[in-house]
Amino acid sequence: MEVRTELIVDLRERFFKKLDDEGPPDPKFHPADITRIKENNNWLKRFLEHNECNVQESLNMLWETCIWRSKFEANEITEDNVRKDYLESGLCFAYGKDKDGKAMFVLRSKLHTKGSKDFSQLQKVVVYWFERLERQTNGNQISVFFDMSDTGILNMDMEFIKYLIGLCKNYYPNFLNYIIIFEMPWILNTAFKIIKSWLPPKAIPKIKFVHKSNIHELVDPNDILTCWGGSNEYVFKFVPEAQNNLDATMNGKLDNRKVHFAESSPITEQSPTVFGDQQVEEQLLSIEPDAVIFNKTGNEICGTITLKNVTTDKSLSYKVKTTSPEKFRVRPSSGILLPQEQRTISVVLQQEYNVRGLLHVDKFLVMCLPLKDPNAPSQEIAALWKSEKPAEQHKLRCCDGGITSNESSKSILLSGMSENGQIDTLSRKIVQLKESNMKLQSDVAFLKHLLVFSILITITVAVIVVYILKTDLKNFMDQQACHIHRGL
């Protein structure tokens, strides 16, 4: 839906006029939300899209949203004030893209039963993920993916689902791209009809039912997990937001977006040149080897690269970046190299990952800029990196030190027979066994309830039958007595 700029301006003016006329509510609107209304046209546009360009309805929704955000303290929610065990449980998390490239919010229904968690804390977890997705996607739409595989009646928490729908309906405007429901059991059809009645009419077409046979029609094939019938072996592990923004590279290019060092918080830097293809007048830095080669050393899988300042008269500031900071620890990830100085950089793969997926997924970028003063304060160096001065860039791929050719690499990746592959496979099997055990326990509990119900029904029917038989027998005896009396 096309939203004219004048409607956005009108909505903003009406909001602040209402604020002037009525005064701030109690509690007051959060300053971040006020700033957002003043400066973020896209946020206001979403309210207008949600309400089909009706400015008054958009104003009402915006006002109520700001009240809710203030009361709920949505701007203050971080992983530090949300139940950590809930975040790490894997009940809900952000992963993958739908067919339109929108981020997916995954809910694994079989990991939750009604009343098993503190509901207020569960609400905070959902809002945490929604806020995190808002930041990561810059307010773009998301798809909610309900993984209903192995789900039973005891896993259906209608109150929780109603809360999710209410968030999207009332406080996160035009946030839903699809509602994808995977492998919904037939026994839950009645419950779904109730859920469907809670949705606004325009949201109904967004509901898509999928199975393993057709999930690729709604989900990016590269993001279909093995448990969904795909080949992606991702296993959820919670990673704090500061270490887990979107990849800094797309199609081999580096954007002006948040990128990460393995040991520091994300910063925004200018990178005006093509990733690894920059033409420079003279080379400042040499790197050996031209790839990060991982080998097993003791209990660690690590690789090293050597940086050397090849100039005789320039000091260099260098930084090492990676597309997957949650996987690696780089030490030191930044520093100063004096003329002709060289330094060895260590890259350690985190224990929960293995080398099987490194060859085609992860990359490193080494960047350097010449410094006039090697003793310059850190503030000046940071300002230099944020300037538009082009940096020399070196793109490095990853590979397994035990692989000697592309063909052998492919063979080992497909066979999965390496030690790390076996451990990874065993870990997945253990997770699957735990999930199957939870499902079995859930089914046993349900069958116990069903058995008790059946016994009660049987007893009730038996009492009714006995009562009817006694009544009929009594009537029969009365009739026989009457006939005998008449015969006498």
Side-chain angles (χ1 to χ4, degrees):
M1 177 185 296
E2 186 67 28
V3 177
R4 303 192 310 276
T5 305
E6 53 264 33
L7 292 180
I8 298 174
V9 173
D10 187 20
L11 177 57
R12 178 179 289 117
E13 290 176 349
R14 289 196 192 192
F15 178 88
F16 286 110
K17 184 178 185 306
K18 181 179 175 70
L19 187 60
D20 290 338
D21 292 344
E22 300 181 9
D26 184 25
K28 294 181 179 180
F29 293 145
H30 195 281
D33 293 330
I34 295 297
T35 301
R36 205 174 178 188
I37 294 170
K38 288 180 179 179
E39 301 176 359
N40 192 333
N41 283 355
N42 185 57
W43 197 42
L44 299 184
K45 179 183 177 183
R46 286 169 55 190
F47 284 92
L48 290 162
E49 290 172 335
H50 190 92
N51 293 283
E52 299 179 347
C53 290
N54 186 310
V55 179
Q56 185 57 49
E57 289 183 3
S58 300
L59 174 62
N60 295 339
M61 184 179 183
L62 176 60
W63 189 268
E64 290 301 318
T65 296
C66 289
I67 291 175
W68 171 80
R69 292 181 63 82
S70 181
K71 289 182 178 179
F72 198 85
E73 299 182 339
N75 290 289
E76 284 81 16
I77 291 180
T78 68
E79 53 257 27
D80 295 326
N81 54 32
V82 174
R83 285 278 297 264
K84 188 175 182 181
D85 55 330
Y86 288 11
L87 289 175
E88 294 177 344
S89 69
L91 166 62
C92 56
F93 56 92
Y95 183 76
K97 308 280 187 184
D98 67 15
K99 69 168 186 176
D100 299 327
K102 312 291 187 182
M104 291 198 308
F105 178 60
V106 180
L107 289 123
R108 304 187 70 191
S109 300
K110 66 182 176 182
L111 299 183
H112 174 69
T113 54
K114 182 176 176 61
S116 63
K117 293 181 174 61
D118 184 311
F119 191 66
S120 63
Q121 290 297 321
L122 194 58
Q123 290 175 319
K124 288 183 68 175
V125 169
V126 174
V127 172
Y128 164 80
W129 281 113
F130 275 23
E131 292 293 303
R132 179 167 171 169
L133 283 164
E134 285 257 14
R135 290 187 288 269
Q136 289 182 349
T137 65
N138 196 27
N140 203 347
Q141 289 182 317
I142 68 168
S143 284
V144 177
F145 185 97
F146 285 94
D147 182 352
M148 306 290 288
S149 56
D150 301 323
T151 298
I153 293 177
L154 296 179
N155 302 117
M156 286 299 294
D157 188 345
M158 303 294 278
E159 185 181 9
F160 179 48
I161 296 175
K162 191 172 186 178
Y163 175 74
L164 283 170
I165 292 173
L167 286 179
C168 297
K169 185 177 179 180
N170 301 316
Y171 307 127
Y172 289 87
N174 200 31
F175 199 40
L176 281 179
N177 189 41
Y178 294 113
I179 301 173
I180 303 173
I181 302 176
F182 174 73
E183 299 282 1
M184 190 183 82
W186 65 268
I187 198 171
L188 301 179
N189 284 338
T190 302
F192 173 73
K193 290 179 181 178
I194 297 173
I195 294 169
K196 192 174 179 181
S197 68
W198 296 337
L199 293 166
K202 62 182 179 181
I204 303 300
K206 296 184 176 185
I207 300 172
K208 306 293 181 182
F209 292 92
V210 296
H211 299 275
K212 288 183 178 180
S213 60
N214 65 340
I215 187 174
H216 62 277
E217 297 175 3
L218 271 298
V219 178
D220 187 321
N222 295 323
D223 293 327
I224 301 177
L225 305 183
T226 53
C227 59
W228 301 339
S231 57
N232 189 319
E233 298 180 347
Y234 170 81
V235 176
F236 170 75
K237 178 180 174 61
F238 178 74
V239 179
E241 184 177 10
Q243 302 176 24
N244 192 35
N245 277 299
L246 298 178
D247 284 354
T249 58
M250 289 185 66
N251 299 325
K253 296 185 178 181
L254 190 67
D255 303 297
N256 293 339
R257 66 175 71 189
K258 286 188 177 181
V259 289
H260 296 262
F261 295 111
E263 290 190 39
S264 63
S265 300
I267 62 173
T268 303
E269 296 176 343
Q270 297 291 335
S271 299
T273 56
V274 175
F275 187 59
D277 295 330
Q278 179 186 1
Q279 299 295 322
V280 294
E281 295 180 358
E282 63 172 326
Q283 183 173 330
L284 305 176
L285 190 70
S286 71
I287 303 175
E288 293 292 339
D290 60 357
V292 182
I293 303 173
F294 289 91
N295 291 284
K296 189 166 184 179
T297 305
N299 294 326
E300 289 187 336
I301 298 174
C302 58
T304 60
I305 54 174
T306 300
L307 311 184
K308 181 177 180 180
N309 182 349
V310 298
T311 69
T312 58
D313 58 348
K314 296 183 180 71
S315 296
L316 304 178
S317 173
Y318 76 87
K319 291 186 176 182
V320 182
K321 301 179 181 181
T322 173
T323 56
S324 302
E326 72 278 6
K327 292 184 181 180
F328 304 103
R329 287 292 175 266
V330 181
R331 294 186 177 89
S333 61
S334 63
I336 306 296
L337 290 174
L338 299 176
Q340 296 294 299
E341 183 182 2
Q342 69 179 31
R343 186 166 303 160
T344 299
I345 309 299
S346 173
V347 182
V348 178
L349 182 66
Q350 296 284 62
Q351 290 184 355
E352 59 267 26
Y353 297 94
N354 59 64
V355 296
R356 293 172 62 192
L358 296 179
L359 298 180
H360 305 292
V361 178
D362 303 302
K363 295 180 177 64
F364 284 81
L365 177 68
V366 181
M367 306 174 69
C368 70
L369 283 171
L371 287 176
K372 293 181 179 179
D373 180 10
N375 298 314
S378 58
Q379 294 88 342
E380 290 186 15
I381 296 176
L384 176 65
W385 279 102
K386 292 183 180 181
S387 69
E388 295 186 358
K389 186 173 183 179
E392 180 176 304
Q393 303 175 6
H394 300 263
K395 179 181 176 183
L396 306 179
R397 60 188 177 86
C398 298
C399 67
D400 184 347
I403 297 175
T404 57
S405 69
N406 288 335
E407 287 300 316
S408 61
S409 167
K410 182 177 180 181
S411 173
I412 291 178
L413 285 173
L414 291 177
S415 66
M417 293 305 295
S418 67
E419 179 181 351
N420 289 315
Q422 292 176 0
I423 293 173
D424 187 50
T425 301
L426 181 60
S427 298
R428 290 198 308 275
K429 293 292 185 183
I430 292 173
V431 171
Q432 291 172 1
L433 284 172
K434 287 182 178 179
E435 292 174 352
S436 298
N437 184 51
M438 289 177 62
K439 174 62 170 54
L440 184 60
Q441 291 177 352
S442 174
D443 289 344
V444 168
F446 173 70
L447 288 173
K448 285 181 179 179
H449 285 87
L450 187 60
L451 179 60
V452 171
F453 180 73
S454 300
I455 292 172
L456 290 174
I457 291 293
T458 302
I459 293 173
T460 302
V461 171
V463 170
I464 293 173
V465 170
V466 170
Y467 176 77
I468 292 173
L469 289 174
K470 288 180 66 177
T471 302
D472 289 346
L473 182 59
K474 185 177 181 299
N475 290 337
F476 176 76
M477 294 298 293
D478 289 344
Q479 289 175 4
Q480 291 299 319
C482 182
H483 287 310
I484 294 171
H485 179 72
R486 288 177 180 174
L488 292 174

